[in-house]
Amino acid sequence: MIVNTIRSFVRRGRITSGQKRALDTLSSHYLIEYQAQQLNLDALFNRNAAKHVEIGFGSGDALIAMAEQYPENDYLGIDVYRSGIAKLLMQIENKQLTNIRVICANAVDVFTHCLPIESIDAVYLFFPDPWHKKRHHKRRLVQPAFIDLLASKMKSEAYLHLATDWEDYARQMLQVLDENQLVINNIGVGCFAPRLQQRPLTKFERRGQHLGHLVWDLRYTVVKK
């Protein structure tokens, strides 16, 4: 399996002194140092529980909400922006959550090298960078090879939930996913999903709603043949 090596992100932004302190003092508790080797997920969380992954968690609003609402699940957040990671670490510490771990790395690298085959129960990809200019569409994360990679690391009947507020990206996602034989559209081929009340509403999404932006949700189940 070959996944496009073009990065779907650009590192940007500066961190505040408070965020730097959070990274300095909390990383050893919750942040996993990326290495190109397989993780023991049960050892990472000190228990055997369902493992959920959020790719690109931003400031961590959805991840925190899910971890609080479903303490029986373990959550691994993957992101590359240190400011967002710092914000998430502070929230984890303030809320004394034990079921979140964070890794600062490219999601393609994490799924390729770190996650065992058929180990993940759910994957969330909310509002990925749309790379809206046509010449940049090749940088979009949702491509056929990436979905193959995700499915290989997910269990049979695992859950895949995506959302975007860019219609053309939503339609590209829908086409890529509906054409993939390893996942099945929970709503029906060619159909977007209604927004679930359980999906946390992030600050980013609330801002978009205020500006009149629509959001497209997609929900799929992994099938192993």
Side-chain angles (χ1 to χ4, degrees):
M1 180 189 307
I2 300 175
V3 180
N4 196 327
T5 56
I6 295 176
R7 294 194 309 178
S8 63
F9 61 90
V10 174
R11 294 185 189 273
R12 55 181 176 266
R14 293 183 293 180
I15 64 172
T16 66
S17 57
Q19 291 167 357
K20 185 178 185 304
R21 283 195 298 272
L23 290 168
D24 290 342
T25 60
L26 301 177
S27 291
S28 62
H29 300 289
Y30 310 110
L31 187 63
I32 306 159
E33 181 181 353
Y34 171 76
Q35 296 180 338
Q37 61 186 38
Q38 187 168 289
L39 293 170
N40 182 329
L41 297 177
D42 285 345
L44 193 64
F45 290 91
N46 298 311
R47 66 173 182 172
N48 180 7
K51 300 297 188 286
H52 294 218
V53 177
E54 184 178 5
I55 299 170
F57 53 76
S59 295
D61 299 331
L63 196 56
I64 288 290
M66 290 188 291
E68 284 189 298
Q69 187 173 2
Y70 303 104
E72 69 274 15
N73 298 332
D74 290 332
Y75 292 88
L76 176 64
I78 304 172
D79 210 311
V80 296
Y81 301 114
R82 296 178 70 224
S83 60
I85 290 171
K87 291 175 184 177
L88 176 60
L89 294 181
M90 288 188 283
Q91 290 189 78
I92 296 172
E93 182 72 5
N94 290 339
K95 295 176 180 292
Q96 292 295 292
L97 296 174
T98 60
N99 61 335
I100 300 181
R101 299 293 184 273
V102 185
I103 186 164
C104 180
N106 183 353
V108 171
D109 294 334
V110 174
F111 272 86
T112 300
H113 301 295
C114 303
L115 300 183
I117 296 292
E118 298 188 1
S119 63
I120 304 302
D121 296 271
V123 172
Y124 308 98
L125 179 59
F126 298 147
F127 307 101
D129 194 325
W131 292 102
H132 59 279
K133 293 181 180 179
K134 188 172 182 179
R135 69 177 183 272
H136 291 154
H137 284 186
K138 62 186 178 181
R139 292 180 177 269
R140 287 177 169 177
L141 189 57
V142 179
Q143 306 284 354
F146 183 65
I147 301 304
D148 288 344
L149 174 61
L150 292 187
S152 72
K153 301 306 175 83
M154 299 172 73
K155 298 178 183 177
S156 181
E157 304 301 317
Y159 176 64
L160 176 60
H161 189 172
L162 308 92
T164 180
D165 61 345
W166 284 82
E167 183 175 4
D168 71 307
Y169 196 11
R171 296 196 179 282
Q172 177 188 324
M173 289 179 176
L174 186 67
Q175 180 179 353
V176 167
L177 287 156
D178 278 353
E179 291 177 353
N180 193 294
Q181 299 300 305
L182 298 175
V183 296
I184 186 169
N185 191 321
N186 291 358
I187 310 303
V189 174
C191 297
F192 293 106
R195 185 186 183 280
L196 288 177
Q197 186 176 2
Q198 300 96 303
R199 179 169 72 75
L201 189 66
T202 67
K203 293 177 182 177
F204 174 85
E205 188 174 358
R206 284 195 293 271
R207 286 198 301 267
Q209 287 181 342
H210 181 71
L211 295 171
H213 295 178
L214 298 177
V215 171
W216 289 266
D217 280 69
L218 303 93
R219 301 203 303 271
Y220 287 77
T221 298
V222 173
V223 292
K224 303 285 185 176
K225 297 180 180 179

